[in-house]
Protein backbone atom coordinates (compact mmCIF):
# COMPACT_ATOMS: atom_id res chain seq x y z
CA UNK A 1 0.00 0.00 0.00
CA UNK A 2 1.45 3.29 -1.03
CA UNK A 3 1.23 6.63 0.72
CA UNK A 4 -0.87 8.01 -2.02
CA UNK A 5 -3.44 5.29 -1.40
CA UNK A 6 -3.76 6.36 2.26
CA UNK A 7 -4.11 9.94 1.22
CA UNK A 8 -6.75 8.98 -1.26
CA UNK A 9 -8.62 7.08 1.44
CA UNK A 10 -8.68 10.22 3.52
CA UNK A 11 -9.82 12.28 0.59
CA UNK A 12 -12.49 9.71 -0.13
CA UNK A 13 -13.62 9.92 3.46
CA UNK A 14 -13.68 13.68 3.16
CA UNK A 15 -15.57 13.46 -0.10
CA UNK A 16 -12.75 15.28 -1.79
CA UNK A 17 -12.15 13.11 -4.84
CA UNK A 18 -13.03 13.61 -8.38
CA UNK A 19 -15.41 11.02 -9.81
CA UNK A 20 -12.53 9.39 -11.61
CA UNK A 21 -10.34 9.26 -8.52
CA UNK A 22 -13.27 7.96 -6.48
CA UNK A 23 -13.83 5.16 -9.00
CA UNK A 24 -10.17 4.19 -8.88
CA UNK A 25 -10.07 4.14 -5.09
CA UNK A 26 -13.26 2.17 -4.83
CA UNK A 27 -11.88 -0.41 -7.20
CA UNK A 28 -8.77 -0.67 -5.05
CA UNK A 29 -10.91 -1.14 -1.99
CA UNK A 30 -12.83 -3.87 -3.71
CA UNK A 31 -9.58 -5.62 -4.53
CA UNK A 32 -8.02 -5.12 -1.11
CA UNK A 33 -10.39 -5.68 1.81
CA UNK A 34 -7.93 -4.12 4.31
CA UNK A 35 -8.42 -0.78 2.55
CA UNK A 36 -12.13 -1.11 3.20
CA UNK A 37 -11.50 -1.73 6.90
CA UNK A 38 -9.21 1.28 7.01
CA UNK A 39 -11.87 3.46 5.42
CA UNK A 40 -14.39 2.14 7.92
CA UNK A 41 -11.98 3.10 10.72
CA UNK A 42 -11.73 6.62 9.39
CA UNK A 43 -15.51 6.90 9.37
CA UNK A 44 -15.75 5.66 12.97
CA UNK A 45 -13.22 8.23 14.08
CA UNK A 46 -15.24 10.90 12.31
CA UNK A 47 -18.38 9.81 14.14
CA UNK A 48 -16.63 10.00 17.47
CA UNK A 49 -15.25 13.47 16.77
CA UNK A 50 -18.59 14.80 15.67
CA UNK A 51 -20.26 13.36 18.76
CA UNK A 52 -17.74 15.15 20.96
CA UNK A 53 -18.78 18.50 19.57
CA UNK A 54 -21.87 19.80 21.30
CA UNK A 55 -22.28 22.77 19.09
CA UNK A 56 -21.79 22.44 15.44
CA UNK A 57 -22.51 26.09 14.90
CA UNK A 58 -19.51 28.18 13.99
CA UNK A 59 -18.04 30.28 16.79
CA UNK A 60 -19.10 33.88 16.66
CA UNK A 61 -16.03 35.74 17.93
CA UNK A 62 -17.85 39.05 18.21
CA UNK A 63 -20.62 37.56 20.31
CA UNK A 64 -18.13 35.73 22.51
CA UNK A 65 -16.13 38.86 23.36
CA UNK A 66 -19.27 40.87 23.88
CA UNK A 67 -20.45 38.31 26.38
CA UNK A 68 -17.11 38.35 28.20
CA UNK A 69 -17.09 42.13 28.39
CA UNK A 70 -20.64 42.16 29.64
CA UNK A 71 -19.72 39.73 32.43
CA UNK A 72 -16.70 41.80 33.38
CA UNK A 73 -18.59 45.08 33.56
CA UNK A 74 -21.55 43.61 35.44
CA UNK A 75 -21.69 44.34 39.19
CA UNK A 76 -19.91 41.69 41.19
CA UNK A 77 -22.12 38.99 42.47
CA UNK A 78 -22.20 38.40 46.19
CA UNK A 79 -19.31 36.08 46.95
CA UNK A 80 -20.13 32.67 48.15
CA UNK A 81 -17.29 32.88 50.65
CA UNK A 82 -17.13 35.15 53.64
CA UNK A 83 -14.22 36.17 55.76
CA UNK A 84 -14.26 34.53 59.13
CA UNK A 85 -12.24 36.07 61.89
CA UNK A 86 -10.37 33.59 63.98
CA UNK A 87 -11.50 32.95 67.46
CA UNK A 88 -14.38 31.61 69.36
CA UNK A 89 -17.58 30.87 67.59
CA UNK A 90 -20.06 33.61 68.23
CA UNK A 91 -23.08 35.09 66.67
CA UNK A 92 -22.47 38.42 65.03
CA UNK A 93 -24.68 41.19 66.36
CA UNK A 94 -27.32 42.42 63.96
CA UNK A 95 -26.10 45.98 64.29
CA UNK A 96 -22.55 46.38 65.36
CA UNK A 97 -21.79 49.04 67.90
CA UNK A 98 -19.83 51.74 66.03
CA UNK A 99 -17.51 52.02 68.98
CA UNK A 100 -16.78 48.35 68.84
CA UNK A 101 -16.33 48.52 65.10
CA UNK A 102 -13.97 51.46 65.38
CA UNK A 103 -11.94 49.73 68.02
CA UNK A 104 -11.93 46.54 66.04
CA UNK A 105 -10.64 48.28 62.94
CA UNK A 106 -8.01 50.17 64.87
CA UNK A 107 -6.99 47.03 66.64
CA UNK A 108 -6.67 45.15 63.40
CA UNK A 109 -4.53 47.93 61.99
CA UNK A 110 -2.36 48.00 65.07
CA UNK A 111 -2.09 44.25 65.10
CA UNK A 112 -1.12 44.16 61.46
CA UNK A 113 1.52 46.80 61.93
CA UNK A 114 2.77 45.09 65.01
CA UNK A 115 3.04 41.75 63.31
CA UNK A 116 4.83 43.34 60.40
CA UNK A 117 7.24 45.02 62.79
CA UNK A 118 7.78 41.81 64.66
CA UNK A 119 8.46 39.98 61.43
CA UNK A 120 10.95 42.66 60.45
CA UNK A 121 12.63 42.31 63.79
CA UNK A 122 12.84 38.58 63.48
CA UNK A 123 14.33 38.65 60.03
CA UNK A 124 16.49 41.74 60.23
CA UNK A 125 17.57 41.82 63.83
CA UNK A 126 20.32 39.46 64.82
CA UNK A 127 19.28 37.30 67.76
CA UNK A 128 20.72 38.04 71.13
CA UNK A 129 21.35 41.68 70.49
CA UNK A 130 20.70 44.28 73.09
CA UNK A 131 17.58 46.35 73.07
CA UNK A 132 18.68 48.62 70.26
CA UNK A 133 16.91 46.18 67.98
CA UNK A 134 13.57 47.24 69.31
CA UNK A 135 10.79 47.20 66.80
CA UNK A 136 8.71 50.28 66.95
CA UNK A 137 5.13 50.26 65.95
CA UNK A 138 3.60 53.52 65.00
CA UNK A 139 -0.10 54.05 65.33
CA UNK A 140 -2.13 53.65 62.19
CA UNK A 141 -2.77 56.83 60.31
CA UNK A 142 -6.48 56.45 60.78
CA UNK A 143 -5.97 56.46 64.53
CA UNK A 144 -4.15 59.75 64.65
CA UNK A 145 -6.53 62.45 65.79
CA UNK A 146 -7.31 64.92 63.09
CA UNK A 147 -7.57 68.31 64.68
CA UNK A 148 -9.40 69.72 61.70
CA UNK A 149 -12.09 67.09 61.85
CA UNK A 150 -14.39 67.49 64.81
CA UNK A 151 -15.07 64.35 66.74
CA UNK A 152 -18.59 63.09 66.57
CA UNK A 153 -20.30 63.03 69.87
CA UNK A 154 -20.15 59.58 71.34
CA UNK A 155 -17.08 58.42 69.47
CA UNK A 156 -14.17 57.19 71.48
CA UNK A 157 -10.93 59.09 71.65
CA UNK A 158 -8.70 58.07 68.80
CA UNK A 159 -6.14 56.55 71.13
CA UNK A 160 -8.46 54.38 73.12
CA UNK A 161 -6.70 51.24 72.13
CA UNK A 162 -3.69 49.22 73.18
CA UNK A 163 -0.53 49.90 71.29
CA UNK A 164 2.66 47.88 71.31
CA UNK A 165 5.29 50.57 71.15
CA UNK A 166 8.39 48.45 71.17
CA UNK A 167 9.45 44.88 71.58
CA UNK A 168 12.66 42.94 71.67
CA UNK A 169 12.24 39.22 71.48
CA UNK A 170 15.89 38.60 72.30
CA UNK A 171 16.89 35.15 71.16
CA UNK A 172 13.34 33.95 70.94
CA UNK A 173 10.88 33.95 68.14
CA UNK A 174 7.70 35.76 68.84
CA UNK A 175 4.72 37.43 67.37
CA UNK A 176 2.23 40.09 68.31
CA UNK A 177 -1.43 39.94 67.64
CA UNK A 178 -4.70 40.97 69.17
CA UNK A 179 -7.66 39.15 70.58
CA UNK A 180 -11.08 40.61 70.94
CA UNK A 181 -12.60 41.46 74.26
CA UNK A 182 -16.23 41.32 75.21
CA UNK A 183 -16.96 44.88 74.16
CA UNK A 184 -15.02 44.66 70.94
CA UNK A 185 -11.79 45.91 72.47
CA UNK A 186 -8.62 44.56 70.97
CA UNK A 187 -6.23 43.28 73.56
CA UNK A 188 -2.60 42.93 72.59
CA UNK A 189 -0.98 39.54 72.91
CA UNK A 190 2.75 38.97 72.78
CA UNK A 191 3.51 35.34 72.18
CA UNK A 192 7.07 34.07 72.45
CA UNK A 193 8.46 30.64 71.97
CA UNK A 194 10.21 29.48 75.06
CA UNK A 195 13.78 28.31 74.66
CA UNK A 196 13.50 26.43 77.91
CA UNK A 197 12.94 22.76 77.48
CA UNK A 198 10.05 21.31 79.35
CA UNK A 199 12.17 19.81 82.11
CA UNK A 200 13.90 23.15 82.57
CA UNK A 201 10.72 25.11 82.63
CA UNK A 202 9.46 23.66 85.86
CA UNK A 203 10.52 25.11 89.13
CA UNK A 204 14.09 24.33 90.00
CA UNK A 205 14.43 22.20 93.06
CA UNK A 206 12.92 19.04 94.33
CA UNK A 207 9.56 20.31 95.44
CA UNK A 208 7.82 21.25 92.29
CA UNK A 209 4.54 22.90 93.09
CA UNK A 210 1.28 21.40 92.19
CA UNK A 211 -1.05 23.32 90.01
CA UNK A 212 -3.49 25.39 92.00
CA UNK A 213 -6.86 23.91 92.48
CA UNK A 214 -9.72 25.71 90.88
CA UNK A 215 -12.02 27.27 93.43
CA UNK A 216 -15.58 26.12 93.55
CA UNK B 1 4.95 79.17 82.10
CA UNK B 2 3.63 75.82 81.06
CA UNK B 3 6.89 75.05 79.33
CA UNK B 4 8.80 75.90 82.49
CA UNK B 5 6.59 73.66 84.53
CA UNK B 6 7.06 70.81 82.08
CA UNK B 7 10.79 71.34 82.07
CA UNK B 8 10.88 71.22 85.84
CA UNK B 9 8.78 68.09 85.90
CA UNK B 10 11.01 66.45 83.32
CA UNK B 11 14.09 67.37 85.31
CA UNK B 12 12.53 65.97 88.44
CA UNK B 13 11.73 62.70 86.73
CA UNK B 14 15.19 62.47 85.21
CA UNK B 15 16.76 63.16 88.56
CA UNK B 16 14.53 60.60 90.22
CA UNK B 17 15.52 57.99 87.67
CA UNK B 18 19.16 58.92 88.13
CA UNK B 19 18.92 58.64 91.88
CA UNK B 20 17.12 55.37 91.48
CA UNK B 21 19.81 54.01 89.18
CA UNK B 22 22.57 55.14 91.49
CA UNK B 23 20.95 53.67 94.57
CA UNK B 24 20.34 50.40 92.77
CA UNK B 25 23.91 50.06 91.59
CA UNK B 26 25.34 51.19 94.88
CA UNK B 27 23.46 48.58 96.83
CA UNK B 28 24.45 45.88 94.29
CA UNK B 29 20.83 44.88 94.06
CA UNK B 30 19.18 44.13 90.78
CA UNK B 31 17.20 47.08 89.49
CA UNK B 32 14.06 45.13 90.10
CA UNK B 33 14.33 45.73 93.83
CA UNK B 34 13.86 49.45 93.74
CA UNK B 35 12.08 50.85 96.68
CA UNK B 36 9.01 52.98 96.59
CA UNK B 37 10.80 55.76 98.44
CA UNK B 38 12.81 56.47 95.33
CA UNK B 39 9.77 58.00 93.73
CA UNK B 40 9.32 61.65 94.50
CA UNK B 41 6.04 62.86 95.81
CA UNK B 42 3.56 63.63 93.11
CA UNK B 43 5.02 61.15 90.66
CA UNK B 44 2.25 59.58 88.61
CA UNK B 45 1.20 56.16 89.73
CA UNK B 46 -1.43 53.69 88.70
CA UNK B 47 -2.85 50.52 90.13
CA UNK B 48 -2.06 47.39 88.22
CA UNK B 49 -3.06 43.79 88.25
CA UNK B 50 -0.89 40.92 87.14
CA UNK B 51 -2.52 37.55 86.72
CA UNK B 52 -0.44 34.46 86.06
CA UNK B 53 -2.46 31.78 84.35
CA UNK B 54 -1.40 28.22 83.76
CA UNK B 55 -3.04 27.17 80.52
CA UNK B 56 -3.04 23.58 79.43
CA UNK B 57 -4.43 21.72 76.50
CA UNK B 58 -5.65 18.84 78.60
CA UNK B 59 -9.29 18.64 79.46
CA UNK B 60 -10.12 20.62 82.53
CA UNK B 61 -11.91 23.71 83.69
CA UNK B 62 -11.50 27.38 83.05
CA UNK B 63 -11.16 29.29 86.27
CA UNK B 64 -14.52 31.00 86.81
CA UNK B 65 -12.77 34.28 87.47
CA UNK B 66 -11.61 34.24 83.89
CA UNK B 67 -15.03 33.84 82.40
CA UNK B 68 -15.31 37.59 81.96
CA UNK B 69 -12.23 37.54 79.80
CA UNK B 70 -13.73 36.36 76.56
CA UNK B 71 -10.45 37.22 74.88
CA UNK B 72 -8.98 34.09 76.43
CA UNK B 73 -11.52 32.01 74.60
CA UNK B 74 -10.31 33.35 71.26
CA UNK B 75 -7.81 31.51 69.15
CA UNK B 76 -5.10 30.62 69.85
CA UNK B 77 -6.10 30.54 73.52
CA UNK B 78 -9.08 28.44 72.61
CA UNK B 79 -6.68 25.52 72.24
CA UNK B 80 -6.34 25.44 76.00
CA UNK B 81 -9.07 23.53 77.74
CA UNK B 82 -7.74 24.12 81.21
CA UNK B 83 -6.87 27.51 82.68
CA UNK B 84 -5.95 27.95 86.31
CA UNK B 85 -5.06 31.24 87.89
CA UNK B 86 -1.71 30.44 89.39
CA UNK B 87 -1.32 33.74 91.16
CA UNK B 88 -2.68 37.26 91.18
CA UNK B 89 -0.87 40.39 92.17
CA UNK B 90 -2.30 43.78 92.87
CA UNK B 91 0.42 46.35 92.42
CA UNK B 92 0.92 50.04 92.37
CA UNK B 93 3.10 51.21 89.55
CA UNK B 94 4.85 54.48 90.11
CA UNK B 95 6.46 56.22 87.21
CA UNK B 96 10.05 55.11 86.78
CA UNK B 97 10.00 52.62 89.63
CA UNK B 98 10.49 48.98 88.64
CA UNK B 99 8.22 46.46 90.27
CA UNK B 100 8.86 42.78 89.93
CA UNK B 101 6.82 39.68 90.41
CA UNK B 102 8.30 36.23 90.66
CA UNK B 103 6.91 33.76 88.19
CA UNK B 104 6.52 30.08 89.04
CA UNK B 105 9.08 29.02 86.44
CA UNK B 106 11.87 30.93 88.13
CA UNK B 107 11.69 33.95 85.91
CA UNK B 108 10.72 37.42 86.99
CA UNK B 109 8.40 39.86 85.32
CA UNK B 110 9.37 43.46 85.76
CA UNK B 111 7.07 46.36 85.09
CA UNK B 112 7.98 50.00 84.94
CA UNK B 113 5.41 52.70 84.41
CA UNK B 114 7.04 54.97 81.87
CA UNK B 115 4.33 57.58 81.81
CA UNK B 116 0.67 58.25 81.77
CA UNK B 117 0.24 59.58 78.28
CA UNK B 118 -1.65 62.71 77.41
CA UNK B 119 -4.49 60.60 76.06
CA UNK B 120 -4.80 58.77 79.36
CA UNK B 121 -3.13 55.54 78.45
CA UNK B 122 -0.57 53.87 80.64
CA UNK B 123 2.77 53.39 78.97
CA UNK B 124 4.53 50.51 80.66
CA UNK B 125 7.83 48.76 80.01
CA UNK B 126 7.84 45.04 80.68
CA UNK B 127 10.55 42.44 80.74
CA UNK B 128 10.51 38.78 81.64
CA UNK B 129 13.79 37.11 82.36
CA UNK B 130 15.69 35.02 84.80
CA UNK B 131 17.42 37.14 87.36
CA UNK B 132 20.60 38.70 86.07
CA UNK B 133 19.86 37.24 82.66
CA UNK B 134 18.11 38.24 79.52
CA UNK B 135 16.76 34.93 78.37
CA UNK B 136 13.17 35.50 77.42
CA UNK B 137 11.64 38.89 76.82
CA UNK B 138 14.15 41.71 77.16
CA UNK B 139 11.86 44.58 76.35
CA UNK B 140 8.21 45.11 75.71
CA UNK B 141 6.62 48.52 75.78
CA UNK B 142 2.88 48.84 75.71
CA UNK B 143 0.52 51.77 75.94
CA UNK B 144 -2.83 50.51 77.15
CA UNK B 145 -6.03 52.29 78.07
CA UNK B 146 -7.07 51.95 81.69
CA UNK B 147 -8.56 48.56 82.36
CA UNK B 148 -7.61 46.99 79.05
CA UNK B 149 -5.37 44.00 79.69
CA UNK B 150 -2.58 42.77 77.52
CA UNK B 151 -1.09 39.32 77.58
CA UNK B 152 2.32 37.73 77.35
CA UNK B 153 2.14 34.03 76.59
CA UNK B 154 4.44 31.24 75.59
CA UNK B 155 6.51 30.18 78.58
CA UNK B 156 6.52 26.44 79.13
CA UNK B 157 5.55 25.36 82.59
CA UNK B 158 4.17 22.24 84.20
CA UNK B 159 3.14 20.69 80.95
CA UNK B 160 1.34 23.81 79.93
CA UNK B 161 1.99 27.41 79.21
CA UNK B 162 2.02 30.53 81.28
CA UNK B 163 -0.26 33.30 80.17
CA UNK B 164 0.41 36.52 81.98
CA UNK B 165 -2.27 39.15 81.93
CA UNK B 166 -1.45 42.71 82.88
CA UNK B 167 -3.97 45.48 83.29
CA UNK B 168 -3.45 48.94 84.64
CA UNK B 169 -6.03 51.23 86.10
CA UNK B 170 -9.69 50.73 85.49
CA UNK B 171 -11.98 51.97 82.83
CA UNK B 172 -14.69 54.12 84.30
CA UNK B 173 -18.01 52.41 84.58
CA UNK B 174 -16.58 49.07 83.56
CA UNK B 175 -15.91 46.22 85.89
CA UNK B 176 -12.50 44.67 85.88
CA UNK B 177 -11.88 42.26 83.05
CA UNK B 178 -10.46 39.79 85.50
CA UNK B 179 -12.85 39.30 88.37
CA UNK B 180 -11.32 40.19 91.70
CA UNK B 181 -10.33 37.25 93.70
CA UNK B 182 -11.75 35.70 96.50
CA UNK B 183 -8.39 34.79 97.88
CA UNK B 184 -7.03 31.45 96.93
CA UNK B 185 -5.49 29.21 99.47
CA UNK B 186 -1.90 28.69 98.47
CA UNK B 187 -1.61 25.43 96.58
CA UNK B 188 0.25 22.77 98.45
CA UNK B 189 3.98 23.09 98.09
CA UNK B 190 3.78 26.47 96.41
CA UNK B 191 5.79 29.26 97.86
CA UNK B 192 3.76 32.44 97.82
CA UNK B 193 4.96 34.73 95.08
CA UNK B 194 7.23 37.54 96.03
CA UNK B 195 6.30 41.04 95.06
CA UNK B 196 8.97 43.68 95.30
CA UNK B 197 8.22 47.32 95.16
Amino acid sequence: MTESTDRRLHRLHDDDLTPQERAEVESEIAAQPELGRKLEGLREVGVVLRAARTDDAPIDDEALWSAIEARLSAPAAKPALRAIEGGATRAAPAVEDPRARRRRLIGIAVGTLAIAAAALLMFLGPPGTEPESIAEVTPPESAIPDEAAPQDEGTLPATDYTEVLAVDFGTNVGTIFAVEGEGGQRYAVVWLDDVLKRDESDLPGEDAPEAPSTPD
Amino acid sequence: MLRDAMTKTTCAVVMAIGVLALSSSASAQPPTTATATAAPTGTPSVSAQVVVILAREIAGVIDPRLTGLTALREAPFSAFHSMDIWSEHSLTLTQGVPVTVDLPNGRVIQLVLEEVTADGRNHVRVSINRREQSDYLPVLEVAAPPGDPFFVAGQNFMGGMLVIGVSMGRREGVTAAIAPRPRLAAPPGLTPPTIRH
Side-chain angles (χ1 to χ4, degrees):
Chain A
M1 187 172 62
T2 62
E3 186 178 354
S4 61
T5 303
D6 281 345
R7 187 181 301 173
R8 282 189 172 190
L9 281 176
H10 281 92
R11 290 175 62 195
L12 174 64
H13 172 261
D14 295 338
D15 198 16
D16 193 28
L17 293 176
T18 63
Q20 183 181 350
E21 289 171 331
R22 173 187 279 276
E24 290 173 1
V25 172
E26 285 177 347
S27 65
E28 286 183 30
I29 291 172
Q32 303 178 48
E34 67 272 19
L35 294 181
R37 288 192 294 271
K38 185 171 282 190
L39 178 63
E40 189 60 29
L42 289 174
R43 286 173 176 157
E44 287 176 0
V45 170
V47 169
V48 171
L49 289 176
R50 276 192 296 274
R53 285 188 62 183
T54 56
D55 182 9
D56 283 328
I59 296 173
D60 185 346
D61 291 346
E62 291 290 332
L64 176 63
W65 283 111
S66 297
I68 292 172
E69 285 173 358
R71 292 287 296 273
L72 289 175
S73 60
K78 202 167 192 176
L81 300 175
R82 63 188 177 93
I84 299 175
E85 197 172 338
T89 305
R90 58 185 178 276
V95 178
E96 189 175 17
D97 180 3
R99 290 186 178 195
R101 177 176 171 75
R102 181 186 178 92
R103 275 191 271 192
R104 184 203 307 268
L105 293 175
I106 291 172
I108 290 171
V110 172
T112 305
L113 285 172
I115 290 170
L120 272 177
L121 178 64
M122 279 188 286
F123 286 103
L124 300 179
T129 53
E130 289 302 309
E132 61 259 22
S133 60
I134 288 173
E136 294 203 3
V137 181
T138 54
E141 224 175 276
S142 60
I144 298 173
D146 185 356
E147 291 179 5
Q151 293 260 330
D152 291 337
E153 190 176 346
T155 57
L156 290 174
T159 47
D160 191 13
Y161 61 91
T162 300
E163 190 176 3
V164 176
L165 302 172
V167 65
D168 179 1
F169 291 137
T171 56
N172 294 305
V173 176
T175 186
I176 301 170
F177 55 94
V179 289
E180 185 177 314
E182 200 164 36
Q185 303 96 328
R186 304 292 294 184
Y187 299 149
V189 180
V190 177
W191 195 294
L192 285 87
D193 287 342
D194 195 348
V195 293
L196 287 184
K197 293 175 183 173
R198 179 148 294 182
D199 54 348
E200 295 174 322
S201 65
D202 296 340
L203 261 183
E206 297 174 356
D207 298 327
E210 296 177 11
S213 57
T214 305
D216 297 333
Chain B
M1 178 180 283
L2 179 61
R3 182 176 296 177
D4 289 341
M6 289 178 64
T7 306
K8 287 177 182 175
T9 306
T10 307
C11 288
V13 171
V14 170
M15 288 177 63
I17 294 173
V19 169
L20 176 64
L22 284 174
S23 62
S24 298
S25 59
S27 59
Q29 294 283 341
T32 57
T33 58
T35 60
T37 54
T41 308
T43 303
S45 64
V46 63
S47 64
Q49 191 179 16
V50 175
V51 179
V52 181
I53 300 165
L54 175 59
R56 288 182 283 191
E57 295 178 9
I58 58 172
V61 295
I62 306 296
D63 190 297
R65 287 166 294 167
L66 297 173
T67 53
L69 262 181
T70 57
L72 291 182
R73 295 202 291 272
E74 299 262 347
F77 294 118
S78 55
F80 299 113
H81 304 297
S82 163
M83 284 194 184
D84 297 306
I85 293 183
W86 189 277
S87 60
E88 296 176 77
H89 314 277
S90 293
L91 316 169
T92 299
L93 300 181
T94 303
Q95 188 174 43
V97 179
V99 175
T100 63
V101 173
D102 289 340
L103 299 176
N105 61 355
R107 289 190 175 120
V108 174
I109 180 171
Q110 175 181 284
L111 302 104
V112 183
L113 178 66
E114 291 290 310
E115 62 171 341
V116 178
T117 62
D119 54 31
R121 292 185 298 173
N122 299 303
H123 174 184
V124 66
R125 181 160 44 90
V126 180
S127 63
I128 299 176
N129 294 302
R130 289 191 180 280
R131 291 196 183 280
E132 310 296 333
Q133 294 182 33
S134 180
D135 71 328
Y136 187 63
L137 177 59
V139 173
L140 168 66
E141 291 192 39
V142 174
D148 279 11
F150 62 91
F151 301 93
V152 181
Q155 297 181 80
N156 299 325
F157 184 64
M158 298 284 287
M161 178 180 291
L162 292 181
V163 178
I164 301 169
V166 178
S167 66
M168 294 166 289
R170 186 167 295 185
R171 188 185 290 270
E172 286 183 13
V174 177
T175 55
I178 301 170
R181 50 181 149 177
R183 262 192 188 282
L184 276 178
L190 174 64
T191 308
T194 307
I195 304 174
R196 296 182 176 84
H197 292 273

